[in-house]
Amino acid sequence: MDWTLIWVLGTFGLYIGIALWARAGSTNDFYVAGHGVHPVVNGMATAADWMSAASFLSMAGLIAGMGYGGSVYLMGWTGGYVLLALLLAPFLREFGKFTVPDFVGDRYYSGTARIVAVICALFVSFTYIAGQMSGVGIAFSRFLGVDFNTGIFFGMGIVFVYAVLGGMKGVTYTQVAQYVVLIFAYTVPAIFISLMLTNNPVPQLGFIGNLKGDDVSMLQKLDETVKGLGFESYLSSSKTNFDIFCITAALMFGTAGLPHVIIRFFTVPNAADARLSAGWALVFIAILYTVAPAVGAFARHNIIESVNETTYVPAAEYAEGSQLVSEAGETPSPAWFANWETTGLVAFDDKNGDGQMQIRGPAAPDGLENEVTVNNDIYVLANPEIAQLPEWVIGLVVAGGLAAALSTAAGLLMVISSAVSHDLCRRTFFKGMTDKTELRVARAAAAAAVIAAGFMGIYSADLAFVAQVVAFAFGLAAASLFPVILLGIFWKRMNREGAIASMLTGLIPTFAYIWHFKLGAGKAATAEDWFLGVSPEGIGFVVMILSILVGVAVSLATKPPPQDIQDLVEDIRIPGTRRSHGIADSGMAPVD
């Protein structure tokens, strides 16, 4: 019985069924699910939207590979969500606009500002979605026996159905189902492995407790092992404190500027429900995020124990080869390595020609080079196989990884769709467009975005790990969108000239820096070549400071906003007073 196929096909059937049941019949349904989603339901959908392939597949892998240094992603994303929930979400919901460009266009009384915000949102969303589709390709490539690119095309088809047909209404209820799938898929294997290694069923406690039958803690044993193999201590980081601070801050402020997360708070009836749903989302997110460090530590331990110093057996000859090796009294390389080797995501290079698989760090005491390469993005998916868990658990993890990637991809597609159909077409270029026409344009835009996202996922496979690709999107959001949202809510003197200057100052340098060091001439550069020693993942925070300063300076040097806009800024911080300025709650009213 192929449990992977059962889980994947069963969950996909559920998602498509929900999309057909919740098919959008109006632009209000398509964009904001009719403002009728319960806060608890929205909290669960927001958690699924938030916990992307970066959280499910890559974050634990980065922690496994980098140790303490990888926890910067966990800290930044968690802190950013708290910032979003407390500072921005309720006020944006009170303003009544359901897209970030819509807020920017009306708050800064400018069609040009709206267009610049659309460009920023598209840059952020497409960068983010590339990482999600890459995660889909990784999951499919191993467990459905197809290559990486074909796996992405499968994912494109599924997202197409429930995002294009259902819109935000379909996406919301699909994401609730996806949250249930992904959280079970993440925690069940962690409980199994925690019991096997530490005899503790709570992973959060197991990985800081002692190994079974040993007086040494799990983390201490792992730290001693990796240092003995020549790697950096698992409990420290090679990054400078300043770079860690910048990466954490970029992820944190980028979270608060992410369009696909912000749009979720417009699906609830009012600002109070927006704050309440944010609280519920934090609870649902915490379940996975507190387990991630344990999953990473367990995976690193199990990979070293199962692979290091074993005799390599090629995947094509595994069954026969393992028997011959065993008869010779040697330990064969494990079956999971042979299975994953066919995907190209793990590899063995016998540099010394002895047939033994050596895992070594750059400071290996015996001078041997590392011969085993493991892609960080497979740690979570491969963990159940490495631990030899039941087949149904392995299948569940695959379904969970796909749910995480597809749920976020769907949310991002809604941002792209609404930016094109609502902000560009109806609110800027074709103000007389009817609801029916706008809905058709929105679906066409979503369909085109699915195709573009798939090809970007293929291209991003050579760029970095999933979490790092996603980190670039956070940096872009922190530098370009967060300053104009924050100042737009809390500083009534911020005007359209300042907003436009701020967004351009944030977007262009950040994108250029990431492109230069990840795809351009500086691809082979070291940390010494970075500006102030800040990595491409953290540069968004540095540019964000510059963006805020430019926005403030330009605003002070030009005339203030009209008085009604200044009054509006004060009113949106007091629930229930926004309507006195004529801002339509649905966001459908055309701009003057």
Side-chain angles (χ1 to χ4, degrees):
M1 181 181 293
D2 192 332
W3 278 102
T4 300
L5 274 177
I6 292 174
W7 277 113
V8 171
L9 293 179
T11 53
F12 279 11
L14 175 63
Y15 305 154
I16 293 172
I18 292 173
L20 294 174
W21 165 73
R23 182 169 180 171
S26 67
T27 52
N28 210 29
D29 282 344
F30 193 87
Y31 292 135
V32 290
H35 295 300
V37 180
H38 191 277
V40 176
V41 174
N42 192 54
M44 194 175 292
T46 304
D49 204 354
W50 174 245
M51 291 187 295
S52 63
S55 292
F56 190 99
L57 297 180
S58 200
M59 184 171 63
L62 283 172
I63 294 173
M66 299 169 64
Y68 171 78
S71 64
V72 64
Y73 291 89
L74 189 152
M75 293 185 293
W77 286 331
T78 304
Y81 197 82
V82 175
L83 179 68
L84 172 64
L86 296 178
L87 270 186
L88 304 185
F91 306 117
L92 286 172
R93 178 62 189 88
E94 181 65 17
F95 191 84
K97 300 303 176 183
F98 58 82
T99 71
V100 171
D102 219 7
F103 167 80
V104 171
D106 282 7
R107 162 60 182 86
Y108 296 109
Y109 51 97
S110 169
T112 302
R114 183 191 304 276
I115 293 173
V116 174
V118 167
I119 294 171
C120 293
L122 291 178
F123 265 88
V124 171
S125 298
F126 273 117
T127 304
Y128 203 139
I129 206 170
Q132 307 314 306
M133 300 312 290
S134 180
V136 171
I138 290 170
F140 272 124
S141 64
R142 164 63 185 93
F143 291 100
L144 294 187
V146 298
D147 61 50
F148 177 83
N149 294 349
T150 303
I152 287 181
F153 289 126
F154 269 114
M156 287 165 59
I158 298 299
V159 175
F160 179 88
V161 173
Y162 69 77
V164 174
L165 288 182
M168 182 57 79
K169 186 177 180 182
V171 166
T172 295
Y173 294 104
T174 300
Q175 285 175 335
V176 171
Q178 287 168 330
Y179 175 80
V180 174
V181 172
L182 73 86
I183 204 65
F184 272 99
Y186 205 82
T187 55
V188 168
I191 292 170
F192 268 100
I193 298 172
S194 183
L195 278 169
M196 293 171 63
L197 293 179
T198 69
N199 214 26
N200 191 324
V202 182
Q204 295 94 324
L205 300 178
F207 93 111
I208 59 174
N210 291 347
L211 285 167
K212 186 185 293 186
D214 204 331
D215 291 332
V216 179
S217 73
M218 164 77 198
L219 280 179
Q220 182 181 345
K221 177 69 174 178
L222 179 58
D223 187 51
E224 292 173 356
T225 299
V226 297
K227 287 192 293 186
L229 294 175
F231 291 99
E232 181 185 341
S233 169
Y234 194 80
L235 305 179
S236 64
S237 173
S238 60
K239 294 182 179 294
T240 65
N241 289 337
F242 183 63
D243 192 27
I244 289 176
F245 174 80
C246 288
I247 295 174
T248 304
L251 296 173
M252 183 172 174
F253 292 109
T255 299
L258 281 180
H260 79 288
V261 176
I262 291 173
I263 199 174
R264 285 241 51 95
F265 295 104
F266 303 136
T267 64
V268 294
N270 52 54
D273 285 338
R275 196 184 299 274
L276 188 58
S277 66
W280 278 108
L282 279 170
V283 172
F284 293 128
I285 290 169
I287 297 173
L288 185 145
Y289 269 38
T290 56
V291 175
V295 172
F298 294 153
R300 184 76 178 273
H301 172 84
N302 284 339
I303 286 176
I304 293 173
E305 291 294 316
S306 66
V307 172
N308 192 40
E309 305 296 347
T310 61
T311 301
Y312 175 68
V313 180
E317 305 170 12
Y318 187 82
E320 179 182 1
S322 62
Q323 183 179 0
L324 294 174
V325 171
S326 297
E327 289 174 357
E330 299 176 348
T331 303
S333 56
W336 76 263
F337 192 92
N339 292 336
W340 277 96
E341 193 175 16
T342 59
T343 69
L345 297 171
V346 301
F348 168 59
D349 180 10
D350 193 5
K351 296 177 180 178
N352 58 12
D354 66 354
Q356 300 293 305
M357 301 178 71
Q358 277 97 23
I359 297 177
R360 295 291 186 272
D366 52 9
L368 291 176
E369 295 182 86
N370 183 55
E371 299 178 330
V372 180
T373 303
V374 179
N375 187 299
N376 281 2
D377 290 337
I378 75 159
Y379 275 84
V380 171
L381 291 177
N383 215 9
E385 276 188 286
I386 299 169
Q388 299 180 339
L389 298 184
E391 288 290 329
W392 69 267
V393 178
I394 296 173
L396 176 62
V397 172
V398 180
L402 292 171
L406 295 177
S407 62
T408 302
L412 292 164
L413 287 171
M414 295 309 304
V415 170
I416 296 168
S417 172
S418 61
V420 172
S421 61
H422 183 70
D423 296 305
L424 284 184
C425 292
R426 185 163 190 177
R427 300 300 303 274
T428 305
F429 298 120
F430 308 104
K431 296 181 181 180
M433 181 182 289
T434 65
D435 278 5
K436 188 174 182 180
T437 302
E438 185 181 355
L439 185 57
R440 283 200 296 265
V441 173
R443 286 190 167 128
V450 168
I451 297 171
F455 285 104
M456 288 193 68
I458 293 170
Y459 184 67
S460 71
D462 297 325
L463 181 62
F465 302 124
V466 171
Q468 288 178 310
V469 175
V470 169
F472 302 147
F474 280 75
L476 289 168
S480 62
L481 294 176
F482 176 76
V484 293
I485 296 173
L486 181 72
L487 293 174
I489 293 173
F490 293 102
W491 190 44
K492 63 183 181 181
R493 183 63 176 77
M494 184 72 169
N495 62 14
R496 63 187 175 191
E497 291 83 4
I500 294 169
S502 177
M503 286 186 286
L504 292 177
T505 300
L507 179 66
I508 296 172
T510 305
F511 183 78
Y513 191 89
I514 292 171
W515 182 275
H516 175 73
F517 285 112
K518 286 299 179 179
L519 295 172
K523 191 173 182 179
T526 61
E528 287 75 22
D529 301 310
W530 295 337
F531 177 68
L532 299 177
V534 179
S535 62
E537 293 90 340
I539 196 64
F541 172 68
V542 177
V543 181
M544 183 195 84
I545 301 300
L546 176 63
S547 174
I548 291 174
L549 293 176
V550 167
V552 170
V554 172
S555 294
L556 292 175
T558 52
K559 65 180 184 179
Q563 188 59 45
D564 64 322
I565 296 295
Q566 296 188 49
D567 293 340
L568 172 62
V569 174
E570 292 187 357
D571 288 349
I572 62 174
R573 296 197 296 272
I574 305 172
T577 60
R578 167 191 45 80
R579 293 181 183 275
S580 63
H581 293 272
I583 303 296
D585 186 63
S586 67
M588 299 299 172
V591 258
D592 295 332

